[in-house]
Amino acid sequence: MGMASIPDSLIFEFLIRVPVKSLSRFKCVNKFWRSLISNPDFIYTQLQTTKTLINHHDHSSSSNCLIISYLLHDHDHNHTTVHFYTIKDHHDPSAFLEFSAQVTYDSYHFLPPCNGLLCFYSARAGIYVCNPSIKYIVRIPDSIAIRCRLLSCGLGFDQYTRSYKIIRILENVAADHDDGLKIEVLTMGINSRTKKMINGGFRFPNRQPPVYAICFFYWINNNSGCNSNSSGFFIQSFDIGSEKFGIIQFPEKVSGKDWRLFSLEELGGELCLVDLDFEMEGKKRMDLWVFKRSSWFQETILHPPEPLDATRPVAFHG
Amino acid sequence: MSTAATADASSSGDTTEGSVRLLTLQSEDGEVFEVKETIATQSVTIKGMVDDDCATSTIPVCNVTGRTLAMVIEWWNKHEIGAVSNEKELKEWESQFDTIDDKSDRDDVYDLLMAANYLNIPTLLDCCTSAVAEAIKGKSTDEMREFFDIKSDFDEKEEDALRKENQWAFEN
């Protein structure tokens, strides 16, 4: 008898409690175990359990770490290597090379991590998603839409279906300007990726990748021409669960400002609008507008010694 | 066995004997246990029955033997809210689940797991699953197949490819 007739639900409970190195090995046990361990729901639960265990137990031996990515370009062999380093211990800052992967030769834009996964992309080479803890990297298949070029993408997590979703913004290379952008939403499943295509009506004026903050993607959109005045500009939201669009107006106080000096960020799980348009004050001020429970909350940061020209807050998890 | 469990339940120094309801549990193999309601409701399943007023007669605990049920009751007694003040003693008692490589330990943990799963006892389930996780984490794929008595359904080529893909996990 013994463990032979154990129910699948209990196997799940055992596996979420073992380290990722064991998991990568156990993928080879049989097909059922492989699909169980590769399931996004499992990955999410394992991550949450590990986090809880880390909080409750021993901090020093935890796998809690900072991941740093580093690109190395090899022009001769026409490829780029991405290195993932981790710093596991605050007291020992030496970086440990966790994982390297070869990708198409290009320069890449890295998105902030989302629930343990990292995403990076370039217009030419496409989108890669990586789970550095299990040393797994996958290239997302290109869009089949014709005459389209990748502008940007975002990686988010649907907490209800526990699946990761990628939003991909595509530009029609034949069109004159921003009109006719296409949006694709991809769900990363166990073995397949379902895709939903949304056409037209979207602009993407500041080219900043969509920001993911708990259940939504956000980016700046406009409904008129391309003047730099913030009238006509708004924040486009996309609900990852219901896949529906919404609109958030800028705070009233910023109307008339130069939207090109705005950026969107995620701060502690909340959407945050950063306003750096303070020419009159010698650019020594930055306003953070945090969007909480459907209203904007203003926080002003003054930095008297130097202009805040190129400063943008770095997102964090609170 | 049944008398021992009853004695255990009532000897824990409860002075408000009159207000404490006793539940009667019957194991798969017919052993009968009387357990204080306040203790037995650590099982979500039993709590549901009590809340729905379905716990008035003997509660059959199918799939759980008397031997296992006695272990479960011991767990309940040690984990009753307010009953155990000695954290160290509790940890020591729990530590018997830490090493389960021995066949008989493995069977005990299996029985407890199935009981904890059936009766829905979150604390016991967590303790047992953690014990199993601790026992399996260092095992090789072959050892895992032996432990859970499962066969590989990969062909040789597939398994080689998978091992190559996850090579780092097979190195020390």
Side-chain angles (χ1 to χ4, degrees), chain B residues 19-50:
Chain B
S19 63
V20 176
R21 240 179 93 193
L22 291 175
L23 300 181
T24 311
L25 308 181
Q26 187 173 26
S27 71
E28 183 189 51
D29 48 358
E31 271 191 71
V32 175
F33 299 82
E34 283 199 317
V35 190
K36 278 196 287 182
E37 183 187 294
T38 47
I39 284 178
T41 47
Q42 289 177 62
S43 151
V44 177
T45 310
I46 292 178
K47 184 163 191 319
M49 294 172 94
V50 169

Side-chain angles (χ1 to χ4, degrees), chain B residues 1 56 59 62 74 80 94 96 104 114 117 124 131 137 139 142 150 153:
Chain B
M1 201 70 187
T56 43
I59 301 170
C62 329
E74 191 186 354
E80 187 190 9
E94 283 179 358
Q96 65 177 303
S104 65
M114 297 307 281
N117 195 37
L124 181 58
K137 72 178 185 189
K139 289 196 187 299
D142 284 335
I150 38 184
D153 49 4

Side-chain angles (χ1 to χ4, degrees), chain A residues 1-7 13-14 17-19 21-22 24-31 33-34 135, chain B residues 110 113 126 129-130 132-133 136-137 139 141 144-145 147-150 152-154 166 168-171:
Chain A
M1 189 78 175
M3 295 290 173
S5 48
I6 212 92
E13 293 295 324
F14 302 150
R17 288 171 168 80
V18 306
K21 188 168 183 178
S22 313
S24 293
R25 203 165 55 236
F26 297 165
K27 269 194 208 165
C28 308
V29 167
N30 71 2
K31 286 178 182 170
W33 282 44
R34 181 183 59 179
K135 305 187 193 321
Chain B
Y110 173 81
L113 261 171
D126 188 57
T129 46
S130 297
V132 175
I136 63 174
K137 72 178 185 189
K139 289 196 187 299
T141 22
M144 284 297 275
R145 287 177 188 141
F147 192 88
F148 288 100
D149 193 22
I150 38 184
S152 169
D153 49 4
F154 292 120
N166 297 288
W168 68 283
F170 291 91
E171 293 157 3

Side-chain angles (χ1 to χ4, degrees), chain A residues 255-274:
Chain A
S255 68
K257 289 196 150 205
D258 186 351
W259 63 266
R260 287 172 300 184
L261 294 168
F262 292 167
S263 66
L264 295 179
E265 305 290 341
E266 179 256 18
L267 284 178
E270 314 276 3
L271 171 69
C272 173
L273 173 72
V274 183

Side-chain angles (χ1 to χ4, degrees), chain A residues 63 230 290:
Chain A
S63 56
S230 69
V290 182

Side-chain angles (χ1 to χ4, degrees), chain B residues 80-100:
Chain B
E80 187 190 9
I81 299 162
V84 177
S85 50
N86 194 340
E87 190 79 6
K88 199 176 152 224
E89 189 194 320
L90 186 61
K91 280 270 169 303
E92 239 172 63
W93 187 77
E94 283 179 358
S95 73
Q96 65 177 303
F97 301 107
D98 286 354
T99 47
I100 51 164

